[in-house]
Amino acid sequence: MENVIINFFKENKLKLNNKSVVVATSTGVDSMVLLNLFLKLKKQYVLNVICAHVNHLKRTQSMEEEKYIVSFCEKNNIKYYIKRLNDIDDDENFQSEARNERYLFFDEIIKIENAEYLALAHHANDNMETIMMRILRGSNLLGYSGINPIIKRNNYLVIRPLLEILKETIVNYADKEEITYFEDETNYEDYYTRNKIRHEVIPPIFAIKDDANIKFKEFANNIKGAWKLVEEKVDEYVNNYVSINNDIEFSKKSFLANDVFLQIEILFAVLKKYNLSKEAIKEIISLINSNKANIKSFIGNSFTFYKEYNNIIIKEGLIEPTNIHLVIDCVNKHYYCDNISVFCQSIECKNVLKSNEICYNINMLPVTLRSRKPGDKIKLTAGEKKVKDLLIDEKIGISKREKILILEDKNQKILAVIGLKKSFYLKEIKDCNIVLKINTGE
């Protein structure tokens, strides 16, 4: 079995000599075999082998497992790190949150030890289960190829040297070498989708085809080959049509010019960090195709989706409108609220001002700068108009509409929609002797 590790490094052109390897060890048979294999190669390849154990504190034997791994490492002169997951709620997000915590833990160890590799003990049966799960749940094209044997993460590589080895082979090796390991009883509870596939789907497949794992590997390789072709098309679109800065932006027209299959792959690519399901991706495409000109939608707890006429915008986080309310009641003073600022300056006003500057009379103070409300109306030269209709006429997108500010007088008459229109009332004011300079932070 040691040759499995050696050949993995050779086939993938990875260096093994004088390297530091962090082995994620749960005390299950797979990870205990992997740890023992690296131990056997330690002297020959001058390896620095480090054990990383995460105690999820969810099973009665968790503490016993932790105690064993500490004893094993001390006996074999292996440096080890232990993390207990005390602060994660046992809810539907537990698996995802636990995974994030594990990788943060691994990142920390890699940095401390200056290690090149994080070794995980996934095997061929795990890969078959993953492919089946993704077929059932939906995925992007590359996801259907299953688990990657090598992934670059930050400044190190995540490696899975046992990925082509069957579980049965690993168990037989553990028994032959008398390797102590613990059984996780939850692996036998079929209310987890993966466990159902493991116990009810995979065995009949092997009964039909005893080298089914090889066929799954061929399937995965075919998918990876197809992905290389698709990836070129995805990259071409992203490089030419997608703006990725603080926000992600692209046009509806350019996006819908692609085949639906490619639309899915494009969204998976640009939204990769959010780890969305295929259903979520399809929902976003449905929003893009909608006949509504302006749409705002929260996608999970991750980001806010905007459709503004022909523009598609993705903003990090769940964006809620800010409620602005500033009373300006004296001159030569700055007023602040959130990222909004107003300077009321005493100055004779004769020239045409900028759209965010209002000429007014000191005796007519106070005025109020506030957020837009339903039913707001402004008096224009041609008559009274709803602010909502004004925004539609000017094709103001929904993200900007939420930031629109209204200036009203002490009688609650609207004096201006800042940056857009000034009221007819302002033209009737004589003896303008102050200027309101409004900075909206845009």
Side-chain angles (χ1 to χ4, degrees):
M1 278 283 279
E2 296 96 312
N3 286 333
V4 170
I5 305 296
I6 295 169
N7 291 337
F8 177 85
F9 277 81
K10 285 181 178 178
E11 290 169 6
N12 291 287
K13 298 179 181 178
L14 300 177
K15 293 181 180 179
L16 186 56
N17 279 307
N18 295 294
K19 297 298 179 182
S20 293
V21 183
V22 175
V23 183
T25 312
S26 67
T27 71
V29 62
D30 314 320
S31 60
M32 287 307 299
V33 164
L34 185 62
L35 182 60
N36 275 272
L37 289 173
F38 274 108
L39 276 180
K40 287 196 172 187
L41 298 173
K42 183 179 179 181
K43 185 175 180 180
Q44 180 183 353
Y45 288 93
V46 196
L47 291 175
N48 178 25
V49 180
I50 304 115
C51 174
H53 176 73
V54 177
N55 187 343
H56 294 81
L57 300 171
K58 293 299 177 184
R59 295 178 291 109
T60 54
Q61 66 187 37
S62 293
M63 295 309 299
E64 184 183 350
E65 292 171 1
E66 179 184 314
K67 184 178 178 181
Y68 173 74
I69 201 66
V70 169
S71 173
F72 177 89
C73 290
E74 290 177 349
K75 179 181 176 182
N76 289 278
N77 195 28
I78 306 172
K79 194 168 186 179
Y80 62 89
Y81 291 83
I82 308 290
K83 182 177 180 64
R84 296 177 183 175
L85 299 185
N86 297 299
D87 302 322
I88 300 180
D89 293 331
D90 193 9
D91 57 20
E92 61 183 16
N93 295 318
F94 174 79
Q95 295 293 341
S96 176
E97 291 181 21
R99 183 182 186 277
N100 290 337
E101 287 295 319
R102 286 197 300 271
Y103 272 96
L104 289 174
F105 175 54
F106 298 147
D107 289 344
E108 184 181 356
I109 299 170
I110 292 282
K111 185 176 181 180
I112 292 170
E113 296 292 337
N114 196 27
E116 291 85 2
Y117 304 114
L118 169 66
L120 305 181
H122 295 101
H123 47 72
N125 299 65
D126 289 327
N127 200 25
M128 293 173 69
E129 293 163 13
T130 297
I131 290 170
M132 293 297 297
M133 284 181 67
R134 290 178 182 172
I135 288 172
L136 294 175
R137 290 180 176 177
S139 173
N140 68 329
L141 180 61
L142 186 60
Y144 291 123
S145 68
I147 302 171
N148 279 322
I150 301 172
I151 297 175
K152 187 167 190 329
R153 177 179 171 89
N154 301 330
N155 59 339
Y156 66 91
L157 295 180
V158 179
I159 60 172
R160 297 177 170 91
L162 304 181
L163 197 57
E164 295 185 12
I165 308 301
L166 286 171
K167 175 81 170 187
E168 182 182 4
T169 304
I170 294 171
V171 173
N172 289 340
Y173 177 82
D175 293 341
K176 178 186 173 184
E177 296 293 318
E178 297 182 343
I179 296 171
T180 300
Y181 60 88
F182 290 76
E183 289 280 2
D184 181 351
E185 62 269 18
T186 61
N187 288 335
Y188 300 98
E189 296 170 353
D190 283 349
Y191 51 78
Y192 291 118
T193 301
R194 180 178 287 277
N195 287 356
K196 284 186 177 181
I197 292 171
R198 178 175 300 159
H199 300 305
E200 300 175 20
V201 178
I202 298 299
I205 290 175
F206 274 112
I208 296 168
K209 191 76 174 173
D210 57 9
D211 64 344
N213 57 305
I214 303 299
K215 300 304 177 184
F216 270 71
K217 180 185 174 183
E218 291 174 1
F219 171 80
N221 288 338
N222 288 338
I223 293 292
K224 288 174 184 175
W227 167 248
K228 288 181 180 179
L229 301 177
V230 173
E231 187 178 28
E232 290 180 6
K233 293 291 186 181
V234 171
D235 289 346
E236 181 182 349
Y237 178 82
V238 172
N239 291 334
N240 291 325
Y241 296 100
V242 181
S243 170
I244 304 177
N245 294 304
N246 292 331
D247 302 332
I248 298 170
E249 298 186 43
F250 53 90
S251 76
K252 171 185 172 181
K253 183 178 179 181
S254 70
F255 180 78
L256 294 181
N258 294 291
D259 180 82
V260 173
F261 173 79
L262 203 56
Q263 292 174 18
I264 292 171
E265 295 300 325
I266 289 167
L267 288 181
F268 266 120
V270 298
L271 301 173
K272 183 178 179 180
K273 70 176 182 177
Y274 299 111
N275 195 29
L276 298 177
S277 67
K278 193 165 188 177
E279 289 305 311
I281 293 292
K282 287 181 176 179
E283 176 60 25
I284 293 171
I285 292 174
S286 175
L287 293 172
I288 294 172
N289 275 295
S290 170
N291 291 327
K292 291 183 178 180
N294 277 278
I295 297 174
K296 176 184 177 181
S297 180
F298 295 144
I299 307 299
N301 293 314
S302 302
F303 61 85
T304 305
F305 169 91
Y306 292 96
K307 176 185 175 186
E308 300 180 344
Y309 301 99
N310 188 47
N311 295 323
I312 307 300
I313 306 169
I314 306 292
K315 290 182 176 288
E316 183 81 25
L318 307 184
I319 310 299
E320 296 284 2
T322 303
N323 185 29
I324 303 297
H325 188 87
L326 273 177
V327 177
I328 297 98
D329 54 8
C330 62
V331 296
N332 299 324
K333 179 180 176 180
H334 285 92
Y335 297 82
Y336 300 96
C337 181
D338 201 56
N339 63 336
I340 310 298
S341 67
V342 180
F343 180 48
C344 183
Q345 184 179 17
S346 177
I347 184 173
E348 188 175 351
C349 180
K350 293 181 179 179
N351 299 323
V352 176
L353 301 175
K354 298 176 182 178
S355 61
N356 66 329
E357 295 181 350
I358 306 296
C359 201
Y360 209 56
N361 184 282
I362 190 172
N363 296 318
M364 299 175 72
L365 293 176
V367 293
T368 301
L369 183 71
R370 62 167 174 81
S371 300
R372 184 170 66 97
K373 297 177 183 176
D376 277 341
K377 295 179 181 179
I378 184 171
K379 185 176 181 181
L380 304 174
T381 304
E384 199 171 56
K385 191 179 187 75
K386 288 183 178 180
V387 172
K388 178 183 177 181
D389 293 338
L390 178 64
L391 299 178
I392 292 172
D393 291 348
E394 297 289 332
K395 291 191 178 297
I396 304 297
I398 191 168
S399 63
K400 291 184 174 62
R401 289 185 192 186
E402 292 182 338
K403 297 178 181 179
I404 287 291
L405 294 176
I406 302 296
L407 186 71
E408 65 181 15
D409 68 11
K410 55 188 172 185
N411 298 314
Q412 297 184 327
K413 289 182 179 179
I414 292 180
L415 301 174
V417 180
I418 303 303
L420 196 60
K421 287 288 183 182
K422 296 178 181 178
S423 169
F424 180 76
Y425 293 125
L426 291 174
K427 295 181 180 180
E428 298 177 329
I429 298 174
K430 298 179 180 179
D431 301 323
C432 289
N433 50 19
I434 60 172
V435 173
L436 301 169
K437 296 182 178 181
I438 302 165
N439 184 350
T440 61
E442 291 293 298

